[in-house]
Amino acid sequence: AQALSNAAASGHHEKAARLALKLNHPHALLKAVNAMLADPEFGDAALDALAGSVKGKALHRLLTATREWNANARHCDAAQRVLSSLLRLRSLDELSTVPGAADVVAALRAYTQRHFARAGRLLRGTYLLDVALAGMGALLDDEEGLLEPESGRDPAGARGGAGPETGAPG
């Protein structure tokens, strides 16, 4: 456990993840995976190295932890990224030999469908926001374009100043 803490504290996230798998500490594994993913330069490569090389009990623990994380919307990004790495780097034959793989896949599938449905709803919500902002932008454009383009006159005295319509010197 001390080696796990040391690896995590020193920034060796892949080593920390391997130790967390060995010691069966899913929360420490999640922290290590999130730390890997936060590294824009090496994060994906480190996650791929981990997902591509774990075997036996460690692979079972990684799949089980991924299932647990995927059940929580807060951790589903890490779960989906691990799952993506596993599916890209491992054959289905290899993954199907993991004990309890069918149950893990069933749970992953159910929660993944919920997460994608939620993401779809959020995306549709952004369209509504785009329409609302576009409408506000059109209103702002209308307010800024108070002068009539053909004559340069101020329509209906909208600016409140004296113009050519009032007969006052301009």
Side-chain angles (χ1 to χ4, degrees):
Q2 184 63 42
L4 172 60
S5 297
N6 291 343
S10 64
H12 297 109
H13 306 301
E14 188 179 344
K15 181 179 180 181
R18 290 182 190 285
L19 288 169
L21 283 169
K22 183 178 179 181
L23 298 171
N24 199 20
H25 288 136
H27 183 69
L29 177 60
L30 176 63
K31 287 172 57 175
V33 167
N34 281 331
M36 279 187 244
L37 295 175
D39 182 352
E41 190 173 347
F42 300 111
D44 290 328
L47 183 60
D48 284 349
L50 176 70
S53 64
V54 293
K55 293 179 176 32
K57 272 191 175 179
L59 180 57
H60 178 262
R61 288 177 179 162
L62 182 60
L63 275 172
T64 303
T66 301
R67 177 193 62 204
E68 298 304 318
W69 304 337
N70 201 43
N72 184 332
R74 182 181 300 170
H75 306 304
C76 71
D77 182 51
Q80 291 295 314
R81 300 276 296 269
V82 169
L83 186 59
S84 173
S85 289
L86 284 170
L87 292 175
R88 274 187 294 107
L89 300 171
R90 299 298 185 99
S91 71
L92 290 179
D93 291 336
E94 183 181 4
L95 291 173
S96 66
T97 62
V98 174
D103 295 333
V104 170
V105 169
L108 284 168
R109 182 174 179 237
Y111 281 106
T112 297
Q113 287 173 338
R114 290 180 191 175
H115 296 313
F116 275 100
R118 182 175 49 88
R121 288 190 306 273
L122 290 171
L123 182 62
R124 283 190 301 277
T126 64
Y127 296 146
L128 178 61
L129 184 61
D130 287 344
V131 168
L133 290 174
M136 289 171 54
L139 290 175
L140 292 175
D141 290 342
D142 289 345
E143 290 175 15
E144 291 172 2
L146 289 175
L147 292 176
E148 292 178 359
E150 299 85 76
S151 65
R153 295 182 319 144
D154 192 358
R159 292 203 177 178
E165 299 90 350
T166 61

